[in-house]
Amino acid sequence: MCGIVGAAAKRDIVPVLVEGLRRLEYRGYDSCGVAVQINNTLQRVRTVSRVADLDTQIQTHAIHADTGIAHTRWATHGAPSTRNAHPMLSREQIALVHNGIIENHDALRVRLQALGYVFESQTDTEVIAHLVHSLYAGDLFSAVAAAVKQLEGAYAIAVVARDQPQCVVGARAGSPLVIGVGLHEHFIASDALALAGTTNQIAYLDEGDVAEILPDQFRVQNAHGDAVVRTVQTVRVDESGAALGPYRHYMQKEIFEQPRALADTLEGIESPAPELFGEQAPAYFARVKQVLVLACGTSYYAGLVAAQWLETLAKIPTRVEIASEYRYRESVPDPDTLVVVISQSGETADTLAALRHARSLGQTITLAICNVASSAMVRETQLRFLTRAGAEIGVASTKAFTTQLAALFLLALSLAKVRNTLPEQTIVAQMRHLRHLPRAVSAVLALEPQLMAWAARFATRQHALFLGRGLHYPIALEGALKLKEISYIHAEAYPAGELKHGPLALVTDAMPVVTVAPNDALLEKVRSNMAEVRARGGELYVLTDAHTQVLTEEGVHVVRLAAHYGLLSPVLHVVALQLLAYHTAVTLGHDVDKPRNLAKSVTVE
Ligand code: AGP
């Protein structure tokens, strides 16, 4: 959610800090700031504007330094304001940035106030800055190590001290932090992406680690206080994702990248096989009796589609749960369950906690479907499949979703193979279909002008209803989520059959009703639901396929996809809904890539 960058070097590192923030800005953009150490003073610049404004201020003040920390914030405690922006200072001696949430901040604040500390912000972060200060006696590393012992909750922090030149100390628990290694310089960041272009030599810190970086070395101490070695790896950081190219927004770029992202994800895969999910997968897949999918938001909707594929193709009972619900409810664990976590980032706090909860219940066969190879989820699961969507910058997930679907379809076919639930020729035919997806998605992208015309009408509305059935009900959910997240139009999705059980009361001529109506076995049922809407004066926007009897007429707008795409049809219909949401938000003049109140990766609970 928030982003951290820090550096200790023998050159001016301010440009590295600013560039790092630029790369992380899509994750949290309520405010940003830097603090650098210059001639035994700490200088700080903060803004509630964007990184570009911070950069202008830095240039205006001609700030150059060889040591510093920087932060881009997604507000949890305290409104987005300059006062609440990081870095937090304690008595001009300590500067600190923080990702995460400190749960015992109230108790710590009371104690620190009793020691005479004055709080200037409403943040939980300021508590850590004063706590470190209260423990500082000339050795920042020891002070931070002692301070984090008193913290409850999740944190990744980076700290500099006025009196300790060329030194940054970091610590993590529950939020990621990495160390970047350069020549006579070291860096610290909440994600290796922040350091792309500076270094690809990365050491990942573990839970409870405290680390110190100096220009020529770094050291790490684990949660027990023992000195440990964290291996430096060469990581492939996708820099291309950061370039906007000819597109107006990252979301638009990412929608149009989907044919490439799908092709990359499926590259080299001739036929489904358990081995695609890891060495141990054949043994596990032969053993599992059910599947439990855990995810949040769009990734959860991918799980809802997958459940239907898994039951239809592999005949394996499948449950899909919202991670934040599962982690706190009593459930009945079964060790022969394949626990699948789906996540673009692999760092979503609720999904990670749900995974750990599932494991703590003895469900140890775990698989991550994830877009980030170095993420916590990939590190903590026994099996994994990496989608190759490339960096997704737009807060609204698009290419991550469709590549997750491709991966999950492969999973269903692989389990079908192991469980012998499909004839070989059906598997071959389904694989052919899957490999053709990039081209089929390109054909949907060509419908953009028609969806722009719909968007122009949507931009005048306050509410919208999305309907779908079967495999396309999750697509209606995803379409509604996309629309509300970037256009701020209130949107709800229902299984079309539920319409008459309540939501029909909302239908008037002011309520556009988007209906996902592919040419499948449920089409006639959906047509009856559409008739119910028209009878109440509701305006229909129907996404259907070629050769259906759904026709444009008074109050019925139709966009037609090419021939029905069978079980993979959701992957195509969702692309049309992404375009509808995108163009509605653009028409309304919204900041599409950084919608209000949201952040890309939700790494706090
Ligand atoms: C989708 O557009 C969202 N911004 C959001 O729902 C997202 O899918 C969710 O936060 C899960 O993220 P993850 O895939 O990185 O775990």
Side-chain angles (χ1 to χ4, degrees):
M1 317 214 56
C2 307
I4 291 176
V5 201
K10 293 178 177 171
R11 60 167 173 137
D12 179 18
I13 47 70
V14 175
V16 176
L17 298 181
V18 173
E19 179 54 27
L21 289 188
R22 247 190 219 115
R23 290 177 185 279
L24 296 179
E25 189 178 26
Y26 70 100
R27 304 203 175 171
Y29 35 82
D30 288 332
S31 61
C32 54
V34 297
V36 293
Q37 202 227 33
I38 308 171
N39 302 331
N40 287 339
T41 61
L42 292 176
Q43 281 198 28
R44 174 173 70 169
V45 183
R46 299 183 292 176
T47 175
V48 274
S49 207
R50 297 285 159 84
V51 174
D53 176 65
L54 184 76
D55 194 21
T56 310
Q57 290 193 45
I58 288 170
Q59 312 254 3
T60 310
H61 295 100
I63 296 175
H64 305 283
D66 59 15
T67 310
I69 53 176
H71 191 259
T72 173
R73 177 172 187 247
W74 184 79
T76 57
H77 293 64
S81 65
T82 310
R83 188 172 280 244
N84 288 332
H86 303 201
M88 291 290 150
L89 291 186
S90 181
R91 296 187 179 169
E92 304 292 328
Q93 288 179 328
I94 298 289
L96 178 143
V97 293
H98 165 224
N99 289 357
I101 291 179
I102 300 305
E103 285 161 6
N104 59 336
H105 67 100
D106 277 336
L108 289 171
R109 185 177 289 109
V110 171
R111 255 181 42 210
L112 289 159
Q113 277 167 335
L115 293 174
Y117 286 96
V118 177
F119 284 78
E120 289 176 351
S121 76
Q122 299 150 312
T123 65
D124 50 344
T125 302
E126 193 177 1
V127 167
I128 320 175
H130 292 317
L131 184 61
V132 171
H133 182 275
S134 71
L135 297 163
Y136 182 68
D139 178 1
L140 188 59
F141 188 83
S142 310
V144 171
V148 295
K149 285 207 173 77
Q150 300 184 36
L151 301 180
E152 289 166 21
Y155 59 82
I157 57 173
V159 199
V160 287
R162 184 190 67 185
D163 305 327
Q164 235 173 293
Q166 297 190 319
C167 169
V168 179
V169 175
R172 69 151 290 198
S175 291
L177 202 62
V178 304
I179 289 181
V181 180
L183 194 61
H184 305 305
E185 53 193 23
H186 284 89
F187 307 91
I188 206 156
S190 49
D191 190 313
L193 178 70
L195 305 176
T198 301
T199 181
N200 62 356
Q201 300 299 297
I202 302 292
Y204 291 88
L205 295 181
D206 271 3
E207 284 291 284
D209 280 356
V210 180
E212 176 188 68
I213 59 166
L214 309 171
D216 287 313
Q217 65 186 75
F218 77 95
R219 63 174 166 134
V220 183
Q221 177 177 295
N222 68 12
H224 307 294
D226 303 322
V228 283
V229 174
R230 298 288 174 231
T231 323
V232 178
Q233 318 167 20
T234 304
V235 298
R236 213 184 109 241
V237 184
D238 185 358
E239 275 197 80
S240 59
L244 199 48
Y247 297 99
R248 197 164 155 198
H249 298 100
Y250 283 108
M251 182 180 177
Q252 185 188 27
K253 176 181 182 239
E254 287 155 8
I255 290 173
F256 278 85
E257 273 177 348
Q258 289 177 109
R260 195 275 308 145
L262 285 162
D264 284 359
T265 299
L266 298 171
E267 194 189 309
I269 301 176
E270 287 302 316
S271 56
E275 289 80 2
L276 296 171
F277 299 86
E279 256 176 51
Q280 297 157 289
Y284 287 139
F285 282 13
R287 189 181 126 195
V288 293
K289 298 200 175 66
Q290 56 175 338
V291 177
L292 167 64
V293 180
L294 303 169
C296 301
T298 290
S299 297
Y300 168 71
Y301 298 148
L304 291 182
V305 176
Q308 300 194 38
W309 286 336
L310 286 159
E311 298 210 335
T312 304
L313 298 170
K315 308 285 175 227
I316 186 159
T318 303
R319 226 166 64 229
V320 191
E321 297 214 29
I322 291 175
S324 56
E325 289 294 314
Y326 172 77
R327 63 183 286 196
Y328 290 119
R329 79 174 186 85
E330 293 265 337
S331 54
V332 183
D334 175 353
D336 291 332
T337 296
L338 173 65
V339 178
V340 181
V341 285
I342 308 172
S343 176
Q344 187 285 127
S345 59
E347 299 289 350
T348 300
D350 282 320
T351 310
L352 199 52
L355 167 67
R356 290 171 182 163
H357 178 64
R359 281 179 22 205
S360 75
L361 297 175
Q363 301 178 121
T364 52
I365 309 177
T366 54
L367 162 68
I369 306 284
C370 188
N371 196 36
V372 181
S374 55
S375 64
M377 266 177 239
V378 170
R379 291 201 303 272
E380 293 188 24
T381 44
Q382 287 177 311
L383 308 176
R384 63 207 49 105
F385 185 98
L386 291 174
T387 51
R388 300 223 205 120
E392 195 181 61
I393 307 282
V395 164
S397 186
T398 52
K399 61 177 180 172
F401 180 67
T402 46
T403 52
Q404 284 167 353
L405 289 178
L408 290 160
F409 195 73
L410 270 176
L411 175 66
L413 289 179
S414 301
L415 278 162
K417 212 167 182 176
V418 173
R419 296 163 64 84
N420 213 8
T421 53
L422 287 179
E424 184 57 26
Q425 63 268 35
T426 307
I427 295 184
V428 171
Q430 292 294 351
M431 264 316 281
R432 199 176 312 121
H433 238 65
L434 184 63
R435 277 200 304 269
H436 186 259
L437 254 187
R439 260 189 286 164
V441 168
S442 297
V444 181
L445 293 171
L447 300 173
E448 187 179 34
Q450 295 176 54
L451 293 153
M452 283 168 85
W454 280 16
R457 302 173 71 97
F458 270 66
T460 64
R461 303 304 176 90
Q462 310 288 305
H463 308 275
L465 209 53
F466 285 69
L467 303 177
R469 289 187 92 128
L471 277 171
H472 296 83
Y473 166 52
I475 296 311
L477 286 165
E478 173 62 3
L481 176 64
K482 286 288 90 90
L483 188 71
K484 68 186 125 188
E485 148 170 77
I486 57 171
S487 75
Y488 317 145
I489 292 172
H490 170 223
E492 299 226 34
Y494 279 92
E498 275 292 289
L499 194 60
K500 54 192 168 297
H501 297 290
L504 197 54
L506 297 169
V507 174
T508 65
D509 57 3
M511 173 72 89
V513 181
V514 180
T515 310
V516 189
N519 196 7
D520 63 11
L522 292 167
L523 179 62
E524 284 317 309
K525 305 281 173 207
V526 176
R527 273 161 61 95
S528 307
N529 304 133
M530 292 188 324
E532 291 159 10
V533 172
R534 278 308 293 145
R536 274 83 188 170
E539 200 176 8
L540 282 167
Y541 291 81
V542 189
L543 268 183
T544 188
D545 301 325
H547 315 304
T548 64
Q549 287 311 304
V550 182
L551 303 175
T552 302
E553 55 185 272
E554 172 78 27
V556 184
H557 311 268
V558 178
V559 168
R560 213 172 279 283
L561 275 60
H564 179 54
Y565 212 71
L567 286 172
L568 286 163
S569 164
V571 186
L572 302 190
H573 281 265
V574 78
V575 173
L577 297 182
Q578 294 167 352
L579 286 168
L580 172 63
Y582 171 74
H583 284 292
T584 305
V586 170
T587 308
L588 289 166
H590 293 160
D591 189 346
V592 177
D593 290 328
K594 300 186 182 74
R596 72 180 177 212
N597 305 340
L598 300 181
K600 183 64 186 166
S601 313
V602 186
T603 51
V604 294
E605 193 179 347

